[in-house]
Amino acid sequence: MKKSIKIIISTFLLFIITSSLFAQIKIEEDMKLIPNPAITKLTLAGDKMEPEDFVRAALIASGVPDSKIPGYLKRVDEIYNEYVLYRTTKNTQLNDAEAGILFLYDKDILVEYDENQTYMDKLLDTGLYNCVSSAVLYMYMMKRKGFKVIANETPTHVFCTVLDNGKEVDVETTNPFGYKPGQQIKVTSAAGKKYSPFLAPGAYDERKRISGRRLISTIYSNRIVFLTKEENINKEEILQLALDSTELQLNTREALQDLFFNAGNVMYYLCNEDKYLEAMYVTKAIQDKYAKYGRSQLMLNNTAYAFRKLAVSKPDDHDYYEKLMLNYGQYLSTEDYDEFYEIYVYNKVVDLYWAGSYLEAKELLQKGLDRLTYSKSLRDLELQLQEDENFKD
């Protein structure tokens, strides 16, 4: 294993899925980072999305093909209309927000909890759900009903908060009676089902409010985590999913951090396969597109590692080293660039000297000293060469 590279694996929930998204990205020298056009269309509305676009984005993030999305949108529309009718029955004398979560269980739309089930299409097909997929569906219904509803995340969980009659109320969507979690209640639903849940009041202490776009991006994140568990990691798909997630989140700071993290890990996988040049292609593509947002230390570390492996692969080929510096030097950190530049100048000056190109050697050495005034190796080389009459002023 390459010990110079550091990889960090996400500790968020792992959701097992089957990928249906065709990875458009190809890791090559002129690699293009092009987000899914369907996601790009949803970025025009700003952070606030209409209810249909909200659930559409979740379906896209789940990998549902374009041809099948209308059918699922029809299904969520039917669910909402069923909910409206449900509110008129005599056994649901609850407010709209509380009735909404009860309805999803009472009518077997949410059937069984599965911590690994984040797919929106699978939820709609089978009733299997987890905190993410159930929160998306509940938020869609409440948004459409006119509630202000937000998502919250903790280190291992997500849940909702609705503004109900001027008060913020938490809603645990993995429980039929998750309205105001932390209370012991006994309720009989319209279908005669009895529940007696208890949710710990302190379960949400480490909460952090996130946008609806950020909630949906969790689907992308968990798909990526699953891909990292496969024997043959699909690096192109990881990049594509990370890119689409960033696009969906409107290039927020958190989204870009996730993108840089995933790109850094892709570089790690490539280096671990001795594909150092491909790793440089990744850092080039990411930094060319997102340089204005800053740089990732993980990516910088892996860039330096890949550069070093490429450089030592042809130790006597100074033209190759020079091309590496020219094409990829700008993607190194300042410190790493100076280190590699010092090596390049030293070796190139020595070669020029022995080839009799004294003036060229002197000019390059001076250029190196102008940048690396602290370089002892270049200063020592200068002193050695000045002993030669051809090198003196």
Side-chain angles (χ1 to χ4, degrees), residues 31 57 124 172 246 254:
M31 179 170 55
L124 296 170
E172 171 56 63
T246 304
E254 288 181 317

Side-chain angles (χ1 to χ4, degrees), residues 199-387:
L199 301 173
Y204 311 116
D205 287 347
E206 296 182 61
R207 72 175 62 202
K208 176 185 176 183
R209 291 194 172 191
I210 58 175
S211 68
R213 290 179 180 271
R214 181 69 177 173
L215 171 65
I216 294 169
S217 77
T218 304
I219 301 174
Y220 283 118
S221 298
N222 295 326
R223 292 178 66 183
I224 290 171
V225 171
F226 175 73
L227 287 172
T228 67
K229 302 297 183 181
E230 294 183 349
E231 184 175 349
N232 296 314
I233 297 173
N234 189 329
K235 296 168 282 292
E236 289 85 355
E237 187 168 3
I238 288 176
L239 282 176
Q240 186 69 60
L241 293 174
L243 181 66
D244 291 346
S245 178
T246 304
E247 178 80 1
L248 176 65
Q249 295 177 77
L250 309 175
N251 293 331
T252 61
R253 180 180 60 83
E254 288 181 317
L256 288 160
Q257 287 177 342
D258 291 342
L259 175 63
F260 296 155
F261 166 79
N262 285 303
N265 277 349
V266 166
M267 292 177 68
Y268 166 81
Y269 303 136
L270 289 167
C271 288
N272 205 38
E273 298 170 2
D274 297 333
K275 295 180 179 178
Y276 307 113
L277 201 54
E278 288 87 341
M280 300 303 293
Y281 296 158
V282 172
T283 196
K284 178 180 184 299
I286 294 291
Q287 291 194 41
D288 283 353
K289 187 175 179 68
Y290 297 103
K292 65 180 179 180
Y293 298 107
R295 303 208 283 179
S296 155
Q297 190 60 53
L298 178 61
M299 288 185 66
L300 289 172
N301 291 345
N302 288 338
T303 301
Y305 182 86
F307 191 100
R308 180 173 285 105
K309 298 296 284 189
L310 288 168
V312 300
S313 68
K314 299 181 180 181
D316 300 321
D317 190 340
H318 299 307
D319 288 339
Y320 179 71
Y321 196 106
E322 187 172 0
K323 288 179 181 177
L324 285 178
M325 291 296 295
L326 180 64
N327 293 332
Y328 302 108
Q330 62 184 302
Y331 306 113
L332 296 163
S333 68
T334 301
E335 294 77 10
D336 287 325
Y337 180 88
D338 286 348
E339 175 190 342
F340 291 121
Y341 182 66
E342 181 180 34
I343 295 170
Y344 162 71
V345 170
Y346 188 99
N347 290 333
K348 184 71 172 179
V349 167
V350 170
D351 278 5
L352 289 170
Y353 172 81
W354 287 113
S357 301
Y358 304 118
L359 180 60
E360 189 177 352
K362 183 186 296 187
E363 289 176 348
L364 178 58
L365 180 57
Q366 187 56 55
K367 183 178 179 181
L369 286 168
D370 287 344
R371 178 179 178 90
L372 307 172
T373 57
Y374 57 84
S375 173
K376 184 177 184 304
S377 63
L378 294 186
R379 290 295 180 191
D380 289 345
L381 179 60
E382 181 184 39
L383 291 174
Q384 293 177 42
L385 294 180
Q386 282 182 346
E387 296 178 359

Side-chain angles (χ1 to χ4, degrees), residues 73-311:
L73 291 177
K74 181 180 178 181
R75 176 61 184 134
V76 295
D77 180 63
E78 291 170 349
I79 289 173
Y80 177 77
N81 290 330
E82 289 175 30
Y83 159 65
V84 173
L85 291 175
Y86 181 84
R87 291 293 296 114
T88 66
T89 64
K90 63 181 180 180
N91 290 325
T92 54
Q93 304 303 313
L94 307 173
N95 62 36
D96 288 331
E98 188 170 359
I101 189 62
L102 180 62
F103 157 78
L104 290 173
Y105 288 88
D106 198 18
K107 297 302 180 181
D108 289 332
I109 296 165
L110 299 180
V111 177
E112 183 178 347
Y113 176 80
D114 179 352
E115 66 176 358
N116 297 325
Q117 205 315 85
T118 191
Y119 262 154
M120 283 306 299
D121 53 334
K122 188 171 183 180
L123 180 154
L124 296 170
D125 288 340
T126 68
L128 297 176
Y129 64 91
N130 66 2
C131 59
V132 176
S133 51
S134 60
V136 169
L137 182 57
Y138 179 77
M139 286 182 68
Y140 160 77
M141 291 169 51
M142 293 303 100
K143 282 173 175 284
R144 191 163 170 183
K145 191 65 176 174
F147 282 92
K148 179 181 178 181
V149 55
I150 64 167
N152 305 273
E153 68 176 4
T154 72
T156 59
H157 189 52
V158 298
F159 62 99
C160 300
T161 299
V162 295
L163 185 63
D164 194 359
N165 293 321
K167 295 182 179 180
E168 290 189 352
V169 178
D170 290 338
V171 180
E172 171 56 63
T173 59
T174 63
N175 190 291
F177 300 104
Y179 185 85
K180 293 184 179 179
Q183 300 180 14
Q184 179 121 21
I185 54 176
K186 294 183 179 180
V187 180
T188 301
S189 71
K193 298 177 182 179
K194 293 184 178 180
Y195 307 91
S196 182
F198 179 76
L199 301 173
Y204 311 116
D205 287 347
E206 296 182 61
R207 72 175 62 202
K208 176 185 176 183
R209 291 194 172 191
I210 58 175
S211 68
R213 290 179 180 271
R214 181 69 177 173
L215 171 65
I216 294 169
S217 77
T218 304
I219 301 174
Y220 283 118
S221 298
N222 295 326
R223 292 178 66 183
I224 290 171
V225 171
F226 175 73
L227 287 172
T228 67
K229 302 297 183 181
E230 294 183 349
E231 184 175 349
N232 296 314
I233 297 173
N234 189 329
K235 296 168 282 292
E236 289 85 355
E237 187 168 3
I238 288 176
L239 282 176
Q240 186 69 60
L241 293 174
L243 181 66
D244 291 346
S245 178
T246 304
E247 178 80 1
L248 176 65
Q249 295 177 77
L250 309 175
N251 293 331
T252 61
R253 180 180 60 83
E254 288 181 317
L256 288 160
Q257 287 177 342
D258 291 342
L259 175 63
F260 296 155
F261 166 79
N262 285 303
N265 277 349
V266 166
M267 292 177 68
Y268 166 81
Y269 303 136
L270 289 167
C271 288
N272 205 38
E273 298 170 2
D274 297 333
K275 295 180 179 178
Y276 307 113
L277 201 54
E278 288 87 341
M280 300 303 293
Y281 296 158
V282 172
T283 196
K284 178 180 184 299
I286 294 291
Q287 291 194 41
D288 283 353
K289 187 175 179 68
Y290 297 103
K292 65 180 179 180
Y293 298 107
R295 303 208 283 179
S296 155
Q297 190 60 53
L298 178 61
M299 288 185 66
L300 289 172
N301 291 345
N302 288 338
T303 301
Y305 182 86
F307 191 100
R308 180 173 285 105
K309 298 296 284 189
L310 288 168

